[in-house]
Amino acid sequence: MTQAEIKLCSLLLQEHFGEIVEKIGVHLIRTGSQPLRVIADDTGTSLDQVKKALCVLVQHNLVSYQVHKRGVVEYEAQCSRVLRILRYPRYIYTTKTLYSDTGELIVEELLLNGKLTMSAVVKKVADRLTETMEDGKTMDYAEVSNTFVRLVDTHFVQRCPSVPTTENSDPGPPPPAPTLVINEKDMYLVPKLSLIGKGKRRRSSDEDAAGEPKAKRPKHTTDNKEPIPDDGIYWQANLDRFHQHFRDQAIVSAVANRMDQTSSEIVRTMLRMSEITTSSSAPFTQPLSSNEIFRSLPVGYNISKQVLDQYLTLLADDPLEFVGKSGDSGGGMYVINLHKALASLATATLESVVQERFGSRCARIFRLVLQKKHIEQKQVEDFAMIPAKEAKDMLYKMLSENFMSLQEIPKTPDHAPSRTFYLYTVNILSAARMLLHRCYKSIANLIERRQFETKENKRLLEKSQRVEAIIASMQATGAEDAQLQEIEEMITAPERQQLETLKRNVNKLDASEIQVDETIFLLESYIECTMKRQ
């Protein structure tokens, strides 16, 4: 765990959960697994506050717990899971593009709350959608429920592990912490619920219409509460499935850039056919026959079987080897080589960084070293057609920045420089790790800059919010345009310009965070799949 990662985790926890949760979370990241009382003593926080902070962290899967033989429960922070908070906007936006506003709000609620029952999610989402609809229109629970089922069917949402029923019936003393288990068959099994009802508006509830103060309302509604039909069955967003989708999108985009739109559509179809049958860590997709691919192409994509076979042959013969041929039955069996695709994407990312940082000539040398695997300085000058002095400077520059490494091969045991070969090489794995570390530092800097910008203009932002609230309340009561204009003029022209500049800067910083996170995702995926192969 590097200092850059710890700092980024600290900023994310503080921004989303506050200072106490951040203090406990960072302490666990630095120290490893610890029991409750040791955490309280080391952080100087009261036991009650530590319990509440751990509850929040466990609820959001940011901390796991384990019972040791002596009955001591130890808590351990999941740093990689904390860093996933960066990707929340991307998860939500992906669901919006695939399942419209209803799917977006379902995933948003699950990410905001960590774990929720299906009935609670459906009710919250229906209420939120009803709030945005025109007066007189409401969102039906059944419609939200159907979208939830579709998300579970495509594995974007999954069940949380629960306490097995046998454990509850044990007559002995209860364990210090429950053991949570889940059967793989039940992970995507939706309980049969008859959720009947419509979303409610907060403004137009029956009690408000009656005009009774909240304190004086009778409490008869709470006494007759029915038991929740899916009590104990909690759901969470399946982040691995989202990552699989992001990886597939990156592969499709790379094929489109290298070849054409039709090739990318064929690859997209192959990935879509195997997205649930292939695990996220598999090196290849399931073999698919040419006939199956042809039948599964999108409706309205008018290409003949012969043209499809030509495209598949072209993809299989491509040097990048994104698509491979695994057999000849069914018109030819094809797979997508996921590990090679990720390696190619990571290499392209490194090449792009070298080009932006050091210029096109350095990028030419970098590509040459990648191609030749091991190469001497004199050979670099000859092959890249760059003068000796410049080539030497560029090689040493990339070597000092850890984009390249130098391997010594001595002719004699004394390692005399005159009798030693010095070969330049690119270790993609170590270069990817170095770049990933820099990306973490970049995102931490972006977050700190955004917080600084907001803090500097805090007074102006508060004033703007007050004015907006006054205007909204006056519009609701039917105020005249002249009155609204007068309120709007409370913010002067220079202040308005300052607000516009702030908004533009914050948007730019937010967009930069998302772009850097895309690079982080590619590098993390490549490092993960390479480590599994080793």
Side-chain angles (χ1 to χ4, degrees):
M1 182 57 52
T2 62
Q3 286 300 315
E5 285 173 280
I6 293 170
K7 185 183 177 183
L8 183 53
C9 286
S10 169
L11 287 165
L12 289 169
L13 288 171
Q14 187 169 12
E15 192 171 29
H16 289 82
F17 303 107
E19 283 182 16
I20 296 170
V21 173
E22 180 260 337
K23 191 178 183 181
I24 304 301
V26 172
H27 175 72
L28 285 173
I29 289 168
R30 288 185 190 278
T31 57
S33 58
Q34 284 197 328
L36 178 67
R37 291 196 179 276
V38 174
I39 298 168
D41 291 343
D42 288 356
T43 57
T45 313
S46 70
L47 208 60
D48 189 44
Q49 283 185 324
V50 173
K51 284 180 183 176
K52 286 176 182 174
L54 286 171
C55 276
V56 170
L57 291 165
V58 170
Q59 171 75 8
H60 287 268
N61 299 318
L62 306 177
V63 160
S64 60
Y65 60 84
Q66 197 175 358
V67 184
H68 287 270
K69 285 181 183 176
R70 292 183 179 179
V72 178
V73 181
E74 288 197 345
Y75 297 89
E76 187 177 1
Q78 305 295 319
C79 182
S80 60
R81 185 61 182 72
V82 176
L83 294 171
R84 294 294 84 85
I85 295 172
L86 274 174
R87 223 161 276 161
Y88 280 10
R90 204 173 164 198
Y91 299 142
I92 293 165
Y93 180 70
T94 300
T95 324
K96 184 183 174 74
T97 55
L98 296 173
Y99 299 98
S100 75
D101 293 347
T102 311
E104 175 197 10
L105 291 181
I106 288 169
V107 169
E108 189 181 322
E109 285 294 339
L110 288 171
L111 291 172
L112 284 174
N113 294 283
K115 303 177 181 78
L116 278 176
T117 59
M118 180 179 169
S119 52
V121 172
V122 169
K123 187 180 179 307
K124 283 185 174 197
V125 170
D127 290 351
R128 283 181 66 180
L129 287 167
T130 303
E131 285 283 336
T132 61
M133 288 178 165
E134 297 170 16
D135 287 340
K137 288 187 178 180
T138 52
M139 174 55 74
D140 204 329
Y141 284 179
E143 201 175 322
V144 180
S145 188
N146 289 340
T147 308
F148 191 95
V149 171
R150 283 167 62 207
L151 281 163
V152 175
D153 288 342
T154 47
H155 296 189
F156 283 106
V157 171
Q158 64 181 16
R159 266 199 205 193
C160 302
S162 56
V163 181
T165 48
T166 51
E167 207 171 282
N168 296 338
S169 58
D170 190 14
T179 307
L180 304 178
V181 291
I182 186 151
N183 193 334
E184 262 190 62
K185 290 186 295 181
D186 300 337
M187 201 175 273
Y188 305 104
L189 185 68
V190 182
K192 290 179 180 176
L193 301 177
S194 54
L195 295 169
I196 302 161
K198 294 180 184 294
K200 294 181 178 68
R201 294 175 196 273
R202 277 175 296 181
R203 295 192 305 273
S204 58
S205 61
D206 298 333
E207 291 86 350
D208 290 345
E212 292 180 58
K214 284 187 180 179
K216 292 188 179 178
R217 281 181 205 152
K219 292 184 179 178
H220 58 81
T221 50
T222 55
D223 298 337
N224 305 325
K225 255 192 180 176
E226 292 180 15
I228 301 165
D230 59 341
D231 192 22
I233 302 172
Y234 288 89
W235 297 85
Q236 62 187 1
N238 182 4
L239 304 190
D240 287 341
R241 178 66 185 85
F242 278 102
H243 293 168
Q244 191 180 331
H245 179 77
F246 297 155
R247 180 201 65 199
D248 294 352
Q249 292 295 98
I251 292 170
V252 169
S253 176
V255 171
N257 290 337
R258 185 168 176 81
M259 293 188 177
D260 64 356
Q261 199 59 42
T262 308
S263 302
S264 72
E265 199 56 54
I266 292 165
V267 171
R268 191 196 303 275
T269 303
M270 291 174 73
L271 288 164
R272 196 174 62 244
M273 289 168 74
S274 56
E275 64 187 357
I276 293 184
T277 55
T278 306
S279 74
S280 57
S281 58
F284 300 94
T285 58
Q286 294 292 325
L288 298 165
S289 71
S290 170
N291 296 326
E292 284 178 309
I293 297 165
F294 182 67
R295 284 196 297 271
S296 300
L297 280 170
V299 180
Y301 220 80
N302 297 320
I303 61 166
S304 64
K305 176 73 169 61
Q306 189 182 357
V307 173
L308 173 68
D309 288 338
Q310 288 172 349
Y311 267 109
L312 286 168
T313 307
L314 193 68
L315 284 162
D317 292 342
D318 187 69
L320 287 181
E321 297 178 22
F322 276 28
V323 175
K325 194 170 185 180
S326 62
D328 295 312
S329 58
M333 301 293 285
Y334 294 91
V335 296
I336 292 176
N337 191 335
L338 300 170
H339 282 185
K340 275 196 177 172
L342 284 171
S344 297
L345 290 168
T347 307
T349 304
L350 286 168
E351 284 178 21
S352 172
V353 170
V354 168
Q355 178 146 346
E356 293 299 320
R357 197 175 170 88
F358 307 112
S360 57
R361 284 185 154 197
C362 272
R364 193 196 307 171
I365 292 172
F366 187 78
R367 279 192 287 269
L368 176 68
V369 177
L370 272 173
Q371 190 183 355
K372 299 289 182 185
K373 302 286 193 292
H374 293 87
I375 191 167
E376 283 188 281
Q377 187 179 310
K378 182 73 177 73
Q379 291 173 302
V380 170
E381 296 159 15
D382 296 341
F383 283 121
M385 293 183 290
I386 292 172
K389 189 174 181 296
E390 284 184 42
K392 187 178 178 181
D393 285 349
M394 289 171 184
L395 282 166
Y396 286 173
K397 200 185 289 180
M398 286 189 278
L399 186 66
S400 65
E401 294 278 354
N402 296 322
F403 282 98
M404 279 190 190
S405 53
L406 195 62
Q407 190 171 346
E408 295 180 10
I409 302 176
K411 291 180 190 174
T412 55
D414 62 350
H415 284 262
S418 58
R419 292 185 292 279
T420 303
F421 292 111
Y422 293 96
L423 302 178
Y424 286 93
T425 183
V426 176
N427 184 337
I428 298 174
L429 186 62
S430 65
R433 281 204 178 105
M434 177 272 299
L435 190 58
L436 182 63
H437 176 71
R438 287 189 177 173
C439 286
Y440 287 140
K441 285 176 82 172
S442 300
I443 286 211
N445 291 343
L446 286 166
I447 291 171
E448 284 186 326
R449 182 70 206 179
R450 176 163 51 78
Q451 288 175 348
F452 172 77
E453 290 276 348
T454 313
K455 194 177 176 182
E456 283 289 291
N457 297 280
K458 190 179 177 184
R459 186 198 60 79
L460 189 58
L461 284 167
E462 285 172 357
K463 183 181 177 181
S464 171
Q465 285 168 356
R466 280 199 306 273
V467 169
E468 281 172 13
I470 293 165
I471 289 170
S473 65
M474 287 178 75
Q475 281 174 337
T477 54
E480 293 176 9
D481 289 345
Q483 290 175 308
L484 294 174
Q485 185 72 29
E486 195 178 323
I487 299 296
E488 280 177 12
E489 284 170 3
M490 285 170 68
I491 297 177
T492 61
E495 285 178 331
R496 204 172 292 281
Q497 195 175 351
Q498 199 176 336
L499 278 168
E500 281 298 315
T501 308
L502 173 66
K503 189 179 176 183
R504 195 165 53 249
N505 290 345
V506 169
N507 286 345
K508 204 178 285 182
L509 290 165
D510 284 336
S512 302
E513 275 180 50
I514 293 165
Q515 284 173 344
V516 175
D517 183 60
E518 284 175 19
T519 307
I520 287 175
F521 170 71
L522 279 179
L523 295 171
E524 279 181 343
S525 303
Y526 165 69
I527 291 165
E528 190 182 335
C529 80
T530 309
M531 294 309 292
K532 278 178 184 170
R533 270 190 293 179
Q534 291 175 356

